């Protein structure tokens, strides 16, 4: 104890630990019937850290060229001790990560957590979702298997639709006019350097704002408190909230390990330009609702529709003036639920629709 | 122009701004050029060997590499394997979303499995979402080698 105190003193003299302790003791999280959703963001953070750690481990053996990528992942899966586990964790956690980012976003949306003064938190969060999808899209190609090769062909081709500079955007993404080894090497650079760099900066900003502003309380609860129908309750962040976080993280980790052990991530067959596309080619699940939509509407309508909807979604706090005034905006709740229903339904159709 | 007075501070700010702007442009231009790759040596491919005479039987197709993209060569039903006129060759990249198409011997059509696009043996769309025909290649036979070239057939 005395020793710990000496160490504590040593740091305290230099970085003012007393202040930090006071701060930790005073940080609280609102407690009400919707506060379960406050844990979802922390889950995203946890899974991101899992990705960074397992990603760095994969880097020790992965080789980013068309000649060697597939074989190097095969080597990770079959020769490297626990390589199958590390790769499977990276793949399952990636999917879980994106699922939780969607969940986090829609729960914030429905609780109107984006309303003034938290606009910037929302914008950085929405950009992080796009980044997460970029991680998924670029990572998917890295094992250089046939499905990934085809999906990348289809996915990058949408770039030509960017007005005026589409051809250049396409060549920038592909590292040439077609999907080749040059694309793989580029995607590798995006996946392990460009995206992690941007994501870390955005995440830093996101967390800084959350920290400065604390958690928002949904308007409905705010109203009940103001009407005297409910009490304003809070729990300390440390240790009460963090302990509950850790319970969630442990459950997620257990689930990931279970899935990885029972169903190690597939590798598929090596990419071969001479093989035709098999039926039922699909992008990763979180792109399926868009992909399915494009079967019903003309390509241009669909692509520009999604681009505009995505842009509006990012800037949403500036449109919802009613919530910004602290009034309950039913229309936005309906829009949010409609968006979730649309995405879920089209994803399901994408998986069960026959004959395509 | 001559009698227009620019306060000294504004002039200096303007020069500073222009200097920073020029520096920014001089930095960004090479980066912008760098990230778009130069045309690959193989991408100007105009003629490749797509296979040998006798490799395909009538009503069969195969995919070959045309530069970095796939092409499809078909020996039409009832066609003479030794005559260039019996063959048809197209890019195998579907005009819809870029999947690789294949030849279906059962329906004698080119088929894209991704969204069920059908093309006839002239590359024209029969049904499905593809918006336009497959680009056709010219086929020539030299010795027992089948050559495919990108000049319009
Ligand atoms: C939000 C974060 C991330 C997501 C969503 C993500 C997603 C993915 C996905 C879906 C794959 C393909 C899995 C497979 O089929 O093997 C992959 C592979 C890979 N990732 Fe990540 N990743 C993330 C972060 C990182 C980071 C930070 C690094 C390294 C610093 C990294 C390094 C790698 C490597 C080397 C591979 C190729 C090995 C393989 O395919 O098994 N990843 N990633
Ligand atoms: S990509 Fe060929 S039909 Fe859609």
């Amino acid at each position: 104890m005395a020793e710990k105190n000496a160490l504590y003193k040593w740091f305290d003299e230099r970085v003012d630990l007393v202040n930090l302790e006071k701060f930790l003791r005073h940080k609280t999280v609102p407690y009400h019937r919707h506060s379960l959703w406050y844990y979802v963001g922390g889950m995203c953070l946890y899974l991101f850290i899992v990705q960074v750690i397992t990603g760095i481990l994969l880097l020790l053996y992965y080789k980013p060229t068309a000649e060697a990528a597939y074989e190097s992942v095969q080597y990770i899966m079959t020769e490297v001790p626990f390589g199958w586990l590390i790769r499977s964790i990276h793949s399952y956690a990636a999917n879980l990560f994106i699922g939780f980012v969607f969940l986090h976003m829609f729960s914030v949306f429905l609780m109107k957590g984006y309303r003034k003064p938290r606009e910037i938190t929302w914008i950085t969060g929405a950009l992080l979702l796009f980044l997460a999808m970029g991680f998924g899209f670029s990572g998917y190609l890295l094992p250089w298997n046939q499905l990934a090769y085809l999906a990348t062909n289809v996915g990058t081709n949408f770039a030509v639709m960017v007005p005026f500079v589409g051809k250049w955007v396409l060549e920038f993404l592909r590292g040439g006019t077609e999907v080749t080894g040059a694309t793989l090497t580029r995607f590798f650079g995006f996946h392990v350097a460009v995206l992690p760099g941007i994501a870390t900066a955005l995440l830093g900003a996101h967390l800084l704002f959350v920290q400065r502003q604390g958690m928002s309380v949904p308007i409905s609860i705010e109203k009940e408190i103001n009407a005297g129908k409910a009490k304003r309750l809070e729990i300390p962040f440390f240790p009460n909230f963090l302990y509950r976080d850790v319970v969630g993280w442990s459950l997620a980790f257990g689930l990931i390990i279970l899935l990885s052990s029972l169903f190690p991530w597939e590798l598929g067959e090596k990419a071969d330009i001479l093989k035709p596309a098999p039926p039922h080619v699909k992008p990763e699940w979180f792109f399926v609702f868009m992909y399915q939509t494009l079967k019903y509407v003309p390509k241009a309508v669909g692509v520009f529709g999604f681009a505009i909807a995505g842009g509006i979604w990012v800037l949403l706090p500036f449109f919802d003036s009613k919530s910004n005034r602290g009034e309950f905006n039913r229309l936005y709740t309906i829009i949010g639920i409609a968006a979730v229903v649309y995405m879920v339904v089209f994803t399901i159709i994408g998986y069960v629709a026959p004959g395509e | 122009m001559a009698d227009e007075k620019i306060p000294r501070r504004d002039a200096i700010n303007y020069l500073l701004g222009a200097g920073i702007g020029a520096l920014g442009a001089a930095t960004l231009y090479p980066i912008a050029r760098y990230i778009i790759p130069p045309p690959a040596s193989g991408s100007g491919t105009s003629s490749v060997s797509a296979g040998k005479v006798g490799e395909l039987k009538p009503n069969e197709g195969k995919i070959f590499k045309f530069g970095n993209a796939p092409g499809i060569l078909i020996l039409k039903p009832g066609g003479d394997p030794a005559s260039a006129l019996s063959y048809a060759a197209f890019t195998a990249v579907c005009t819809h979303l870029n999947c690789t198409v294949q030849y279906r011997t059962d329906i004698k059509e080119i088929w894209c499995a991704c969204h069920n696009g059908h093309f006839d043996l002239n590359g024209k769309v029969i049904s499905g979402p593809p918006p336009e025909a497959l680009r056709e290649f010219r086929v020539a036979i030299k010795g027992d080698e089948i050559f495919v070239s990108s000049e319009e057939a």
Side-chain angles (χ1 to χ4, degrees), chain A residues 200-230:
Chain A
T200 305
L202 279 175
L203 197 58
H206 194 73
L207 296 177
L208 184 70
F209 280 99
V210 170
Q211 177 47 47
R212 296 286 289 182
Q213 302 179 317
M215 301 306 302
S216 81
V217 175
I219 295 172
S220 57
I221 308 266
E222 229 19 291
K223 288 217 158 118
E224 286 170 24
I225 294 172
N226 291 340
K229 276 188 261 169

Side-chain angles (χ1 to χ4, degrees), chain B residues 94-115:
Chain B
C94 180
T95 53
H96 180 222
L97 297 180
N98 257 1
C99 281
T100 306
V101 299
Q102 56 189 294
Y103 182 65
R104 288 258 308 253
T105 50
D106 53 344
I107 51 176
K108 303 185 174 62
E109 282 167 12
I110 301 167
W111 180 59
C112 179
C114 282
H115 313 102

